[in-house]
Amino acid sequence: MTDWTIFVPTFLAATVEWVEAFTIVLAVSLSIGWPRALSAAASALVFLAAMTVVTGGVLNLGAGMTALELLIGVLLLLFGVRWLAKAIARAAGLKAFHDEDKEFAEMRDALGHGDRHAAWLIAFKGVMLEGLEVWLIVVALGVKSSHPFSAIEGALAALAAVVLAGAIIRAPLAKVPENAIKFVVGAMIVSFGTFWTLEALSPGVWPAGDWTLLLLFGFYLMGGLAAASVLRARRAREALS
Amino acid sequence: MNAFFKILFGDIYNLAFVGCVVAAAAAMVHFGAGREAVYAVPALLLAGAGWFATR
């Protein structure tokens, strides 16, 4: 059975990362061909899968421990605060939106001066680095869930969706609303992090129990949007004066 | 390896901020203010995310 509260954030977060990884692999494929580019991507994915199995297994040995709950809560906070901050900055116009077309063009330009071995490594490293964030979310959310495979299912479903869309479009997936997804995922990850951190420090502290996650998500999402709106207005005022 | 740690922990400011919030939450719980912490911690984290957005 799938735990949708784990599947959805993992699917959304993984989609953003796989889209960025796809852009890199696509650019590399035009330089060294699809078979080599795909072999680099596949090697990185195998490495990430092994990391997930090993770290997930090790953490599962301590599942249920308060220290583990605290560790995962803090890791999610470290990760989620950054995602939420980035999403607020982009929505407020303080940071440029991630442009897959521009990224693709820059990558193509850079690859024009490199050799085939370097291009393979770029594809491997690109998928690896983007995938590390997926690994972190899969392991952190999976270990705390009663259905640990829901996180893996979410990441794999996102990978399948991006590969399918990429195979059909054969261009960078620039139309994916990356910042909107980042806003939602950032709010979700910070919610999980807040919930588990305080639950580990003081079991049963949340008055609404598991339903608190929904309240926290609403708080961070609406609060983040409000913060973006305030920052955008302040920026407009500063531009006028 | 640097990229790995950066993905895991973010930069020093992010690490320090989250560390301070968790320490504050632990202190509140320790001194019997756990019920207040459930409101204070999310407010602090959202304020922090807003501040990081301006950096």
Coordinates of all heavy atoms in Angstrom, one line a residue, chain A residues 74 77-78 82 85 88-89 94 129 132-133 135-136 194 198 201-202 204-207 216 219-220 223-224 231 234, chain B residues 3-4 6-10 14-15 18 22 25-26 29 34-35 37-38 41-43 45-46 49-50 52-54:
Chain A
V74 N 16.2 17.1 11.8 CA 17.1 18.2 11.6 C 17.6 18.2 10.2 O 17.7 19.2 9.5 CB 18.3 18.0 12.6 CG1 19.4 19.1 12.3 CG2 17.8 18.3 14.0
L77 N 15.1 19.7 8.1 CA 15.0 21.2 8.3 C 16.2 21.9 7.5 O 16.0 22.9 6.8 CB 15.2 21.5 9.8 CG 13.9 21.3 10.6 CD1 14.2 21.7 12.1 CD2 12.7 22.0 10.1
L78 N 17.4 21.3 7.6 CA 18.5 21.8 6.9 C 18.3 21.9 5.4 O 18.6 22.9 4.7 CB 19.8 21.0 7.1 CG 20.4 21.1 8.5 CD1 21.4 20.0 8.7 CD2 21.1 22.4 8.7
R82 N 16.3 25.6 3.0 CA 17.0 26.2 1.8 C 16.0 26.2 0.6 O 16.0 27.1 -0.2 CB 18.2 25.3 1.5 CG 19.5 25.7 2.2 CD 20.6 24.8 1.8 NE 20.4 23.5 2.4 CZ 20.9 22.3 2.0 NH1 21.5 22.3 0.8 NH2 20.7 21.2 2.6
A85 N 13.5 28.9 1.1 CA 14.1 30.2 1.0 C 14.3 30.5 -0.5 O 14.0 31.7 -1.0 CB 15.4 30.3 1.7
I88 N 11.0 31.4 -2.1 CA 10.5 32.7 -1.8 C 11.3 33.7 -2.6 O 10.8 34.7 -3.1 CB 10.7 32.9 -0.2 CG1 9.8 32.0 0.6 CG2 10.5 34.4 0.1 CD1 10.0 32.0 2.1
A89 N 12.7 33.5 -2.6 CA 13.5 34.5 -3.3 C 13.1 34.6 -4.8 O 13.1 35.7 -5.4 CB 15.0 34.1 -3.2
L94 N 13.9 38.2 -6.3 CA 15.3 38.4 -5.8 C 16.3 37.5 -6.4 O 17.5 37.7 -6.3 CB 15.3 38.3 -4.3 CG 14.4 39.2 -3.5 CD1 14.3 38.8 -2.1 CD2 14.9 40.6 -3.6
L129 N 24.8 14.5 -8.6 CA 24.5 15.6 -7.7 C 23.1 15.9 -7.6 O 22.5 16.2 -6.5 CB 25.3 16.9 -8.1 CG 26.8 16.8 -7.9 CD1 27.5 18.0 -8.4 CD2 27.2 16.5 -6.5
L132 N 21.5 13.2 -5.5 CA 21.8 13.2 -4.0 C 20.6 13.8 -3.2 O 20.3 13.4 -2.1 CB 23.1 14.0 -3.8 CG 24.4 13.2 -3.9 CD1 25.6 14.1 -3.7 CD2 24.4 12.0 -2.9
E133 N 20.0 14.9 -3.8 CA 18.9 15.5 -3.0 C 17.7 14.5 -3.0 O 17.0 14.4 -2.0 CB 18.5 16.8 -3.7 CG 19.7 17.8 -3.7 CD 19.3 19.2 -4.0 OE1 18.4 19.7 -3.4 OE2 19.9 19.8 -4.9
W135 N 18.0 11.3 -3.1 CA 18.4 10.2 -2.1 C 18.1 10.7 -0.7 O 17.6 9.9 0.1 CB 19.9 10.0 -2.3 CG 20.6 9.3 -1.1 CD1 20.5 8.0 -0.8 CD2 21.4 9.9 -0.1 NE1 21.2 7.8 0.4 CE2 21.8 8.9 0.8 CE3 21.8 11.2 0.1 CZ2 22.6 9.2 1.9 CZ3 22.6 11.5 1.2 CH2 23.0 10.5 2.1
L136 N 18.5 11.9 -0.4 CA 18.3 12.4 1.0 C 16.8 12.4 1.4 O 16.4 12.0 2.5 CB 18.8 13.9 1.1 CG 18.7 14.6 2.4 CD1 19.5 13.9 3.4 CD2 19.1 16.0 2.3
T194 N 10.0 20.0 11.0 CA 9.5 20.6 12.3 C 8.8 19.6 13.2 O 9.0 19.5 14.4 CB 8.5 21.7 12.0 OG1 9.1 22.6 11.0 CG2 8.2 22.5 13.2
L198 N 10.5 18.3 16.9 CA 9.8 18.6 18.2 C 9.2 17.3 18.8 O 9.2 17.2 20.0 CB 8.7 19.6 18.0 CG 9.2 21.1 18.2 CD1 8.1 22.1 17.9 CD2 9.7 21.3 19.6
L201 N 12.0 15.7 20.5 CA 12.4 16.4 21.8 C 11.4 16.2 22.9 O 11.7 16.2 24.0 CB 12.6 17.9 21.5 CG 13.8 18.2 20.6 CD1 13.8 19.7 20.2 CD2 15.1 17.9 21.3
S202 N 10.1 16.2 22.5 CA 9.0 16.0 23.4 C 7.9 15.2 22.9 O 7.0 15.8 22.3 CB 8.5 17.5 23.8 OG 7.5 17.4 24.7
G204 N 4.6 13.5 21.8 CA 3.2 13.9 22.0 C 3.0 15.4 22.2 O 1.9 15.8 22.7
V205 N 3.9 16.2 21.8 CA 3.8 17.6 22.0 C 2.8 18.3 21.1 O 2.2 19.3 21.4 CB 5.2 18.3 21.9 CG1 5.7 18.3 20.4 CG2 5.2 19.7 22.5
W206 N 2.6 17.7 19.9 CA 1.7 18.3 18.9 C 0.3 18.1 19.3 O -0.2 16.9 19.4 CB 2.0 17.8 17.5 CG 3.4 18.1 17.0 CD1 4.4 17.3 16.9 CD2 3.8 19.4 16.6 NE1 5.5 18.0 16.5 CE2 5.2 19.2 16.2 CE3 3.2 20.6 16.4 CZ2 5.9 20.3 15.8 CZ3 4.0 21.7 16.0 CH2 5.3 21.5 15.6
P207 N -0.5 19.2 19.5 CA -1.9 19.0 20.0 C -2.8 18.3 19.0 O -3.7 17.5 19.5 CB -2.3 20.5 20.2 CG -1.3 21.3 19.7 CD -0.1 20.5 19.4
L216 N 0.9 22.5 9.5 CA 2.2 23.1 9.3 C 2.5 23.4 7.9 O 3.0 24.4 7.5 CB 3.3 22.1 9.8 CG 3.5 22.0 11.3 CD1 4.4 20.9 11.7 CD2 4.1 23.3 11.9
F219 N 0.7 26.5 7.0 CA 1.4 27.6 7.6 C 2.6 28.0 6.7 O 2.8 29.2 6.4 CB 1.8 27.3 9.0 CG 2.7 28.3 9.6 CD1 2.1 29.5 10.1 CD2 4.0 28.1 9.8 CE1 3.0 30.5 10.7 CE2 4.9 29.1 10.4 CZ 4.3 30.3 10.8
Y220 N 3.5 27.0 6.4 CA 4.7 27.4 5.7 C 4.4 27.8 4.2 O 5.1 28.7 3.7 CB 5.6 26.1 5.7 CG 6.3 25.9 7.0 CD1 6.2 24.7 7.6 CD2 7.1 26.9 7.6 CE1 6.8 24.5 8.9 CE2 7.7 26.7 8.8 CZ 7.6 25.5 9.4 OH 8.2 25.2 10.7
G223 N 2.6 31.3 4.6 CA 3.6 32.2 5.1 C 4.7 32.5 4.1 O 5.1 33.6 4.0
G224 N 5.1 31.5 3.4 CA 6.2 31.7 2.3 C 5.7 32.6 1.2 O 6.4 33.5 0.8
L231 N 8.4 40.9 0.2 CA 9.7 41.2 -0.3 C 9.6 41.8 -1.7 O 10.4 42.7 -2.1 CB 10.5 39.9 -0.4 CG 11.0 39.3 1.0 CD1 11.7 38.0 0.8 CD2 12.0 40.3 1.6
R234 N 8.6 45.4 -1.3 CA 9.7 46.2 -0.8 C 10.7 46.5 -1.9 O 11.2 47.6 -2.0 CB 10.4 45.4 0.4 CG 11.3 46.3 1.2 CD 11.9 45.5 2.4 NE 13.0 44.6 2.0 CZ 13.6 43.8 2.8 NH1 13.3 43.8 4.1 NH2 14.6 43.0 2.5
Chain B
A3 N 30.6 19.0 -2.5 CA 29.2 19.1 -3.0 C 28.2 18.2 -2.1 O 27.1 18.6 -1.8 CB 29.1 18.6 -4.4
F4 N 28.7 17.0 -1.7 CA 27.9 16.1 -0.9 C 27.6 16.8 0.4 O 26.4 16.8 0.8 CB 28.7 14.8 -0.7 CG 28.0 13.8 0.2 CD1 27.0 13.1 -0.3 CD2 28.4 13.7 1.6 CE1 26.3 12.2 0.5 CE2 27.7 12.8 2.4 CZ 26.7 12.0 1.9
K6 N 27.6 19.9 1.1 CA 26.8 21.1 0.8 C 25.3 20.7 0.6 O 24.4 21.4 1.1 CB 27.3 21.9 -0.4 CG 26.8 23.3 -0.4 CD 27.6 24.3 -1.1 CE 27.1 25.7 -0.9 NZ 27.1 26.5 -2.1
I7 N 25.1 19.6 -0.1 CA 23.7 19.2 -0.3 C 23.1 18.7 1.1 O 21.9 19.0 1.4 CB 23.7 18.0 -1.3 CG1 23.8 18.6 -2.7 CG2 22.4 17.2 -1.3 CD1 24.1 17.7 -3.8
L8 N 23.9 18.1 1.9 CA 23.4 17.5 3.1 C 23.1 18.6 4.2 O 22.1 18.6 4.8 CB 24.5 16.5 3.7 CG 24.0 15.3 4.5 CD1 22.9 14.6 3.7 CD2 25.1 14.4 4.8
F9 N 24.1 19.6 4.3 CA 24.0 20.6 5.4 C 23.8 22.0 4.9 O 23.5 22.9 5.7 CB 25.2 20.5 6.2 CG 25.5 19.1 6.8 CD1 26.7 18.5 6.4 CD2 24.6 18.5 7.7 CE1 26.9 17.2 7.0 CE2 24.9 17.3 8.2 CZ 26.0 16.6 7.8
G10 N 24.0 22.3 3.6 CA 23.9 23.7 3.2 C 25.1 24.4 3.6 O 26.2 23.8 3.9
N14 N 23.2 28.4 7.1 CA 22.1 27.5 7.2 C 22.2 26.5 8.3 O 21.3 26.3 9.1 CB 22.0 26.7 5.8 CG 20.7 25.9 5.7 OD1 19.6 26.4 5.9 ND2 20.8 24.6 5.5
L15 N 23.4 26.0 8.5 CA 23.7 25.0 9.5 C 23.6 25.7 10.9 O 23.0 25.2 11.8 CB 25.2 24.5 9.3 CG 25.6 23.3 10.1 CD1 24.7 22.1 9.7 CD2 27.0 22.9 9.7
V18 N 19.7 26.6 11.6 CA 18.9 25.4 12.1 C 19.4 24.9 13.4 O 18.6 24.5 14.3 CB 19.0 24.3 11.0 CG1 18.3 23.0 11.5 CG2 18.2 24.8 9.7
V22 N 17.0 24.5 16.7 CA 16.8 23.2 17.4 C 17.3 23.4 18.8 O 16.6 22.9 19.8 CB 17.6 22.1 16.7 CG1 17.6 20.8 17.5 CG2 17.0 21.9 15.3
A25 N 14.5 25.1 20.6 CA 13.4 24.2 20.9 C 13.7 23.3 22.0 O 12.8 23.0 22.9 CB 13.1 23.4 19.6
A26 N 14.9 22.7 22.0 CA 15.3 21.8 23.1 C 15.3 22.6 24.5 O 14.8 22.0 25.5 CB 16.7 21.3 22.9
V29 N 11.6 23.0 25.6 CA 11.1 21.8 26.0 C 11.6 21.5 27.4 O 10.9 21.1 28.3 CB 11.4 20.6 25.0 CG1 11.1 19.3 25.6 CG2 10.5 20.8 23.8
G34 N 7.2 23.4 26.2 CA 6.9 22.6 25.0 C 5.7 23.1 24.2 O 5.8 23.1 23.0
R35 N 4.7 23.4 24.9 CA 3.4 23.9 24.2 C 3.7 25.2 23.4 O 3.1 25.4 22.4 CB 2.3 24.0 25.2 CG 1.8 22.8 25.8 CD 0.9 22.0 24.9 NE 0.7 20.6 25.3 CZ 0.4 19.7 24.5 NH1 0.2 19.8 23.2 NH2 0.2 18.4 24.9
A37 N 6.6 26.0 22.3 CA 7.6 25.7 21.2 C 6.9 25.3 19.9 O 7.4 25.6 18.8 CB 8.5 24.5 21.7
V38 N 5.7 24.7 20.0 CA 5.0 24.3 18.8 C 4.6 25.5 18.0 O 4.3 25.3 16.8 CB 3.8 23.3 19.0 CG1 4.2 22.1 19.8 CG2 2.7 24.0 19.7
V41 N 8.7 27.5 17.1 CA 9.6 26.9 16.2 C 9.2 27.2 14.7 O 10.0 27.6 13.9 CB 9.8 25.4 16.5 CG1 10.6 24.7 15.4 CG2 10.6 25.3 17.8
P42 N 7.9 26.9 14.4 CA 7.5 27.2 13.0 C 7.7 28.6 12.6 O 8.1 29.0 11.5 CB 6.0 26.7 12.9 CG 5.9 25.7 14.0 CD 6.8 26.2 15.1
A43 N 7.3 29.5 13.6 CA 7.5 31.0 13.3 C 8.9 31.3 13.0 O 9.2 32.1 12.1 CB 6.9 31.8 14.5
L45 N 11.3 29.3 12.0 CA 11.8 28.7 10.7 C 11.3 29.5 9.5 O 12.1 29.7 8.6 CB 11.3 27.3 10.7 CG 12.1 26.3 11.6 CD1 11.4 24.9 11.7 CD2 13.5 26.1 11.2
L46 N 10.1 29.9 9.6 CA 9.5 30.7 8.4 C 10.3 32.1 8.3 O 10.6 32.5 7.2 CB 8.0 30.9 8.6 CG 7.3 31.7 7.5 CD1 7.5 30.9 6.2 CD2 5.9 31.9 7.8
A49 N 13.6 31.4 6.8 CA 13.5 31.1 5.4 C 13.4 32.5 4.6 O 14.0 32.7 3.6 CB 12.4 30.2 5.0
G50 N 12.5 33.4 5.2 CA 12.4 34.7 4.6 C 13.7 35.5 4.6 O 14.0 36.1 3.6
F52 N 16.8 34.2 4.7 CA 17.7 33.5 3.7 C 17.3 33.9 2.3 O 18.2 34.0 1.4 CB 17.7 32.0 3.9 CG 18.5 31.5 5.0 CD1 18.0 30.9 6.1 CD2 19.9 31.7 4.9 CE1 18.8 30.4 7.1 CE2 20.7 31.3 6.0 CZ 20.2 30.6 7.1
A53 N 16.0 34.2 2.0 CA 15.6 34.5 0.7 C 16.2 35.9 0.2 O 16.4 36.1 -0.9 CB 14.1 34.6 0.6
T54 N 16.5 36.7 1.2 CA 17.1 38.1 0.9 C 18.6 38.0 0.7 O 19.2 39.0 0.3 CB 16.7 39.1 2.0 OG1 17.3 38.7 3.2 CG2 15.2 39.2 2.2

